[in-house]
Amino acid sequence: MCGIVGYTGHRPAGPIVIEGLRRLEYRGYDSAGVALFDERGELYIARATGKLDALVQRVEGTLPPAVCGIGHTRWATHGEPNDANAHPQLDPLGRVAIVHNGIIENYDVLRKEVAERGGLFSSETDTEVVAHLLAEHVARGIDLLEALRLVVAGAQGAYSLVAVSVDEPGRIVAARVGNAGGIVIGHGDGEHLVASDLGALLPHTRRVSFLEPGEFVDVRRDAVAYLDAEGQPLEKAVEEQPFDAVATAKGGYKHFMLKEVHEQPVTVLDAMRGRYLLHPARVEMDGLPFTVEQVRALTRVVIVGMGTSMHAAMVGRHYIERFARIPAEVDNSAEFRYRYPVLDEHTLVISISQAGETVDTLAAMDEAKRAGCPQVTICNTPGAQTTRVADGTVFMRSGPEVAVASTKTMSASMLLLHGIALHLGRMRGTLDPEVEARQVTAALHLPVAIGEALEMAPHLQRIAGRYAQCEDFLFLGRGLGYPMALEGALKLKEVSYIHAEGYAAGEMKHGPIALIDESMPTVALAPRDEVFDKMRSNIQQVRARHGAVIAVVSKDEHALDDLANDLIELPAVDAALVPLVAVVPMQLLSYYIALVRGADVDQPRNLAKTVTVE
Ligand code: BG6
């Protein structure tokens, strides 16, 4: 079945349409394409045979700043799967673009008539003739929606059509004929979407309308109008989509957050695909457009991000210094842009942004650009702003992350920073190939290890039940455990509204210890590493003041059995990769506590998935 997505509003249409198509991938398809209005109101068209990644690669860095466009995943019926037969299909002058689902049974008759009028075809599809016919009517001054009605009147079969015209950027018209794939309209704030399937709309709105067979819709950024089969105006209800339909997009999980936490083994695998190689074991990162000379001339790396992305950056800093031996620092994007940073062309700036639209991270990137810094961005959203500013993009390939609290994309970011550090280290000649091989082999084990960590979910749920009513939490960690402490505290704040602080455990005596009493539990990241004994003494200090301790330890660790109130054992992984398994209990603990407290896990109060304003 083909997938259709259209968007018109005020946000970047490219990423929204492509993400929408990704949510329709389950329908099965063999090519994909988009038509987007660029800032001049011209149509930008991109089509690619194969999976969506092929299209994503093709549009990487070239998507226009469009606020209206349509997209399609095609499951070939007429014409083999190739670029010419992919949708959107255009008229010869590129005046209209159309995507189609279903079959136009008399398309050969229509094609013949158009050919007799001199029309030239560039595809074997049944769809293309609709573009020709539509363009002919529009060229005669007929309104786009009326033109669509005229075309439908002459086209037999069961199908859905969605079309745009360069004469009216921002306007999308659609028709549903017979019982082919439906057309759903999503009603947002100052934006509207159309899609063949509810799933593509859900990340944006649950207020939807459905076209019945024979009906037409005229969609603009701030208005939607319907026509019935006779062309008469039609009123249609806007339905608040019931939970069960949203549930289908959750794949059976109660919340998107839980689904996305459980996707992490695949997320990490997808992030490594084609980048973590064997024979010999090495990392080849795409998205690093720098020569060996440029990399060897680097004197510093600055990694910027916000929220969870910044915590991933802190893990990445460890990797850059350890494996690439380049001085590295991390900055919250909002702080970076206002601290008069000393930057030059030998400072590599790595930005991390799942959505690629975070205003502070974009501003930090502009600051780096002004200073002439080479830039790489790690992003989960093709065509997002950050991918157009950086010199290179390393895509997370995590698929849509719908829950507001980032989970799987943090794992992807940490893994990619690991890969970037190894790659840079090899380019600089500072990385022993043995070390690289060991790290690659260890990383390839992660999907299994993360899967084992997920099997702790029932154990985490039991622990959550014991602490869900606490109003304050302290998270402590050292080294790579410190960003995990920060992330665990952030997750708990985000989804359960509990006041939680993450602290470098060494700071314990410099303040936080004053907070400890029986009402304030402490989560201590205490894997068996070079600072384990120091973490053990931190735990003793907390217990001495009647604070409960939830200790996150290595597998089969028993040195804390007499100390901690609860133990969470991590699957065995290379010490450098502990954050990729330790983050899982941090996510699950906060999720299950939020569940007990009845919080709105996927869309916590006051939070937005992407902060596009300061
Ligand atoms: C917040 C999200 O709005 O932005 C967090 O709720 C996220 O989950 C943060 O970590 C940064 O977003 P991004 O897209 O720049 O990684």
Side-chain angles (χ1 to χ4, degrees):
M1 285 293 280
C2 302
I4 291 176
V5 180
Y7 172 86
T8 181
H10 50 87
R11 290 188 294 147
I16 290 171
V17 169
I18 290 173
E19 180 195 86
L21 293 178
R22 205 175 277 286
R23 300 180 68 77
L24 302 180
E25 283 193 292
Y26 71 85
R27 297 164 77 105
Y29 66 99
D30 39 45
S31 62
V34 293
L36 300 164
F37 286 101
D38 64 19
E39 60 275 33
R40 298 184 307 282
E42 295 303 315
L43 272 180
Y44 164 97
I45 304 287
R47 305 182 300 200
T49 309
K51 289 303 171 200
L52 213 44
D53 279 349
L55 178 66
V56 166
Q57 295 296 342
R58 185 155 299 180
V59 302
E60 240 176 318
T62 65
L63 278 181
V67 291
C68 176
I70 57 178
H72 188 263
T73 48
R74 176 174 181 253
W75 198 68
T77 50
H78 295 77
E80 59 173 302
N82 62 31
D83 291 7
N85 290 334
H87 299 199
Q89 286 288 314
L90 305 166
D91 67 294
L93 299 178
R95 308 292 298 165
V96 299
I98 195 155
V99 294
H100 161 222
N101 194 3
I103 292 176
I104 295 173
E105 287 159 13
N106 63 332
Y107 84 98
D108 46 357
V109 171
L110 297 173
R111 264 178 86 114
K112 213 145 97 310
E113 289 168 2
V114 168
E116 284 160 4
R117 294 198 290 270
L120 298 175
F121 287 87
S122 55
S123 83
E124 309 151 48
T125 65
D126 55 347
T127 313
E128 187 185 352
V129 71
V130 175
H132 284 252
L133 294 168
L134 202 57
E136 287 177 356
H137 292 309
V138 169
R140 287 202 294 271
I142 292 175
D143 171 73
L144 184 60
L145 185 61
E146 183 53 25
L148 186 62
R149 275 178 35 75
L150 291 171
V151 170
V152 162
Q156 294 155 15
Y159 52 85
S160 299
L161 295 172
V162 176
V164 292
S165 159
V166 290
D167 297 321
E168 298 184 79
R171 186 184 185 192
I172 300 176
V173 295
R176 182 183 179 193
V177 181
N179 276 309
I183 292 283
V184 193
I185 294 92
H187 301 262
D189 298 331
E191 60 184 24
H192 285 97
L193 298 99
V194 297
S196 51
D197 191 303
L198 188 65
L201 304 181
L202 291 170
H204 309 287
T205 180
R206 288 207 284 186
R207 300 171 52 243
V208 299
S209 312
F210 294 85
L211 277 197
E212 298 303 333
E215 293 180 350
F216 296 77
V217 66
D218 189 355
V219 183
R220 301 164 195 263
R221 160 183 182 150
D222 41 21
V224 175
Y226 302 95
L227 295 180
D228 66 17
E230 287 66 50
Q232 296 309 307
L234 187 64
E235 286 303 315
K236 284 189 91 60
V238 175
E239 303 170 27
E240 183 72 25
Q241 192 52 38
F243 189 79
D244 55 353
V246 174
T248 56
K250 292 194 181 94
Y253 289 97
K254 188 169 177 54
H255 293 104
F256 281 109
M257 180 180 174
L258 189 61
K259 172 173 175 262
E260 286 149 12
V261 167
H262 281 79
E263 285 178 343
Q264 289 179 117
V266 173
T267 302
V268 167
L269 187 62
D270 285 344
M272 288 193 284
R273 205 185 299 281
R275 294 162 169 165
Y276 279 61
L277 308 172
L278 293 172
H279 318 306
R282 71 200 182 287
V283 171
E284 297 284 352
M285 294 305 289
D286 53 322
L288 296 182
F290 310 119
T291 63
V292 171
E293 293 66 37
Q294 282 174 305
V295 170
R296 291 185 178 222
L298 291 176
T299 56
R300 187 158 139 257
V301 173
V302 180
I303 316 174
V304 295
M306 299 296 279
T308 295
S309 290
M310 189 187 74
H311 297 153
M314 293 170 71
V315 173
R317 178 199 176 197
H318 172 95
Y319 295 148
I320 298 279
E321 295 211 330
R322 179 167 169 187
F323 300 121
R325 304 306 296 155
I326 310 173
E329 63 195 76
V330 171
D331 239 327
N332 165 303
S333 305
E335 289 300 306
F336 176 80
R337 58 186 293 208
Y338 291 117
R339 68 171 174 80
Y340 303 102
V342 176
L343 303 168
D344 63 23
E345 68 280 14
H346 301 306
T347 302
L348 171 64
V349 172
I350 301 176
S351 50
I352 306 170
S353 178
Q354 185 280 133
E357 302 295 339
T358 298
V359 64
D360 286 312
T361 301
L362 285 164
M365 294 174 75
D366 288 345
E367 180 78 22
K369 201 165 189 81
R370 277 192 290 277
C373 303
Q375 293 198 53
V376 175
T377 194
I378 297 174
C379 185
N380 191 38
T381 313
Q385 301 266 17
T386 53
T387 67
R388 284 206 290 280
V389 174
D391 302 301
T393 299
V394 178
F395 281 98
M396 296 177 192
R397 308 176 187 159
S398 304
E401 186 174 66
V402 177
V404 165
S406 288
T407 50
K408 63 178 180 176
T409 56
M410 175 168 194
S411 294
S413 299
M414 292 192 286
L415 187 279
L416 294 171
L417 286 161
H418 180 258
I420 291 169
L422 292 173
H423 191 149
L424 294 177
R426 192 175 74 247
M427 291 175 83
R428 289 168 63 88
T430 57
L431 181 64
D432 176 343
E434 269 306 298
V435 171
E436 179 178 13
R438 254 199 320 278
Q439 286 299 314
V440 167
T441 311
L444 291 170
H445 175 65
L446 280 171
V448 172
I450 296 169
E452 286 170 16
L454 289 167
E455 284 162 16
M456 293 191 290
H459 179 55
L460 268 297
Q461 189 160 17
R462 283 191 295 277
I463 292 176
R466 287 200 276 278
Y467 298 94
Q469 302 317 326
C470 296
E471 291 311 322
D472 298 283
F473 263 81
L474 183 61
F475 287 73
L476 297 178
R478 290 172 183 265
L480 283 169
Y482 175 33
M484 288 305 105
L486 294 175
E487 179 60 12
L490 176 60
K491 283 286 146 307
L492 194 60
K493 280 196 281 279
E494 283 178 309
V495 298
S496 73
Y497 315 147
I498 290 175
H499 169 246
E501 284 193 82
Y503 250 95
E507 284 278 358
M508 187 64 172
K509 297 190 186 65
H510 303 275
I513 198 164
L515 300 174
I516 301 297
D517 62 23
E518 59 286 346
S519 71
M520 180 167 179
T522 295
V523 177
L525 281 299
R528 179 60 70 170
D529 56 20
E530 64 270 17
V531 290
F532 174 77
D533 292 336
K534 297 188 185 316
M535 282 310 296
R536 180 182 163 79
S537 61
N538 282 130
I539 292 168
Q540 282 167 329
Q541 292 154 26
V542 173
R543 297 293 293 123
R545 288 154 182 84
H546 313 299
V549 171
I550 303 166
V552 182
V553 297
S554 299
K555 201 171 185 63
D556 305 329
E557 177 65 69
H558 295 295
L560 299 176
D561 289 3
D562 60 329
L563 260 181
N565 301 72
D566 291 279
L567 286 165
I568 298 168
E569 286 188 43
L570 296 177
V573 292
D574 182 282
L577 296 171
V578 166
L580 279 115
V581 289
V583 75
V584 173
M586 297 297 102
Q587 297 161 346
L588 290 171
L589 181 65
S590 59
Y591 172 77
Y592 286 119
I593 287 177
L595 222 52
V596 172
R597 295 170 72 104
D600 182 355
V601 173
D602 284 339
Q603 297 182 353
R605 67 184 182 196
N606 312 337
L607 293 181
K609 184 58 183 166
T610 308
V611 177
T612 55
V613 292
E614 273 199 86

